[in-house]
Amino acid sequence: MDLKQAGSSLDSLISSFNTRIAELQELVIARNMYPASSVTDLSAIDAALKGMELQVKAIKDRLHEETKAIPKAKKLIAKSLRQQKKLQSMSVYAPSYLPERTATLNLDSDRATICLVPEACKQQPNQSTMVEEPAAIPKEKKSRGSPPLWYITAGELDSLSSYMRGRLTLEKVNAAINDMATYAEANAQLIAAPKKKLAENQWERALELKDIATTESIKGKHFFLETDMKGPSLKLDNTGKAILTVLRHLGRISETRMGHHRVIILLKPQ
């Protein structure tokens, strides 16, 4: 019951109360005229009046409680609106795509491979055993940490020119960022792997990656090679090249050339 309905009900009760009082006055006069026959009627009216008084009191108490609750309700609404604004502002920076990143490096096969889907890495008959845990990273490499996952926001994508953005979506670009971090992590595992766990061609690649990793402009940073772009989301095609252009423009990556390799470096938020 809102305040208007409660007020209307109270007015009705007061009007009825006044009417009964007038009737009571008339009955008092009648009792004086006929005292023996009016006692029963007066008792009934008295009981009805007491019941009405209790109803009016209950309504007044209810109105008083609701009036006291109004300021608290207003404060609660204001806090809820502020919280809603905070959540809306946070949602702008939250990526709409948060895939699970699982990279497993096969060190025993003839060729190093990166597993992006756990189900595809399960041991099959007549296949080499997959390494479940990455090799221990030497002390000088521990400061590198995990590859950065610096997703872009919808606002950043919308700020690009339509020519640069093309048909790219927020989901595609952020999925590519996840792939980049997976490539970089797999390269770090290969660099840190002991020689005895690597095949000959893998050891040659590991030495090549180590040479790149020790370059002054790349030292301590996560990187991958253009030739690592084999999916599932980032591939060396027109879409992949467009994604690299967008991410380079937005400051997520930088590029350099090392010999015949094009090296993509993952950048961290400043």
Side-chain angles (χ1 to χ4, degrees):
M1 181 184 293
D2 55 23
L3 295 177
K4 291 184 178 180
Q5 292 176 341
S8 175
S9 177
L10 182 61
D11 292 339
S12 176
L13 286 173
I14 293 173
S15 176
S16 176
F17 185 74
N18 291 333
T19 301
R20 288 297 183 93
I21 290 175
E23 292 177 353
L24 180 61
Q25 290 175 344
E26 293 177 357
L27 288 172
V28 169
I29 297 173
R31 186 186 64 176
N32 294 332
M33 295 175 62
Y34 308 98
S37 61
S38 61
V39 174
T40 303
D41 293 337
L42 289 175
S43 299
I45 292 174
D46 183 61
L49 286 174
K50 287 181 179 179
M52 292 175 62
E53 288 176 352
L54 293 174
Q55 291 180 4
V56 171
K57 185 178 183 301
I59 292 173
K60 286 183 177 180
D61 293 340
R62 181 65 176 173
L63 288 174
H64 181 67
E65 291 175 359
E66 293 184 356
T67 302
K68 289 176 64 177
I70 288 175
K72 295 181 180 179
K74 288 182 177 179
K75 290 180 180 179
L76 183 60
I77 292 172
K79 289 181 179 179
S80 299
L81 292 174
R82 288 197 297 269
Q83 185 68 16
Q84 183 182 13
K85 290 180 180 179
K86 288 181 181 179
L87 293 175
Q88 288 175 344
S89 62
M90 291 170 62
S91 66
V92 174
Y93 299 99
S96 59
Y97 182 84
L98 286 173
E100 294 183 0
R101 177 162 56 86
T102 303
T104 307
L105 186 64
N106 187 350
L107 301 177
D108 297 327
S109 61
D110 293 336
R111 183 180 178 185
T113 57
I114 302 170
C115 179
L116 299 177
V117 182
E119 288 76 3
C121 294
K122 292 181 178 178
Q123 176 68 20
Q124 299 294 335
N126 300 324
Q127 288 187 356
S128 300
T129 303
M130 301 303 293
V131 178
E132 297 297 334
E133 296 182 0
I137 299 176
K139 292 182 179 179
E140 62 272 18
K141 299 296 181 182
K142 286 185 178 178
S143 60
R144 186 177 295 167
S146 300
L149 284 170
W150 189 8
Y151 296 106
I152 70 168
T153 64
E156 287 178 311
L157 187 62
D158 293 339
S159 68
L160 302 174
S161 63
S162 57
Y163 175 79
M164 181 180 293
R165 184 171 65 248
R167 295 184 178 181
L168 296 178
T169 63
L170 187 67
E171 289 74 17
K172 285 183 179 179
V173 178
N174 284 336
I177 290 175
N178 188 75
D179 282 1
M180 291 178 181
T182 303
Y183 303 151
E185 185 174 346
N187 286 338
Q189 291 180 20
L190 187 59
I191 292 172
K195 182 179 180 179
K196 61 182 180 181
K197 290 190 176 182
L198 299 175
E200 184 177 352
N201 63 331
Q202 292 177 338
W203 178 243
E204 293 175 357
R205 175 174 168 80
L207 291 176
E208 190 175 30
L209 290 174
K210 287 179 181 179
D211 290 339
I212 295 174
T214 55
T215 305
E216 191 63 32
S217 59
I218 303 177
K219 186 182 299 183
K221 299 177 181 177
H222 293 277
F223 68 92
F224 65 94
L225 307 182
E226 187 181 50
T227 53
D228 294 330
M229 296 167 54
K230 298 178 181 178
S233 299
L234 183 62
K235 299 180 181 179
L236 193 55
D237 53 15
N238 291 334
T239 301
K241 293 176 181 178
I243 290 173
L244 292 180
T245 300
V246 167
L247 294 177
R248 186 171 58 249
H249 178 78
L250 294 176
R252 267 33 176 205
I253 61 172
S254 63
E255 297 179 11
T256 186
R257 294 203 71 87
M258 298 292 296
H260 61 282
H261 287 299
R262 183 184 179 191
V263 183
I264 295 93
I265 304 169
L266 305 185
L267 302 180
K268 297 181 179 180
Q270 298 298 326

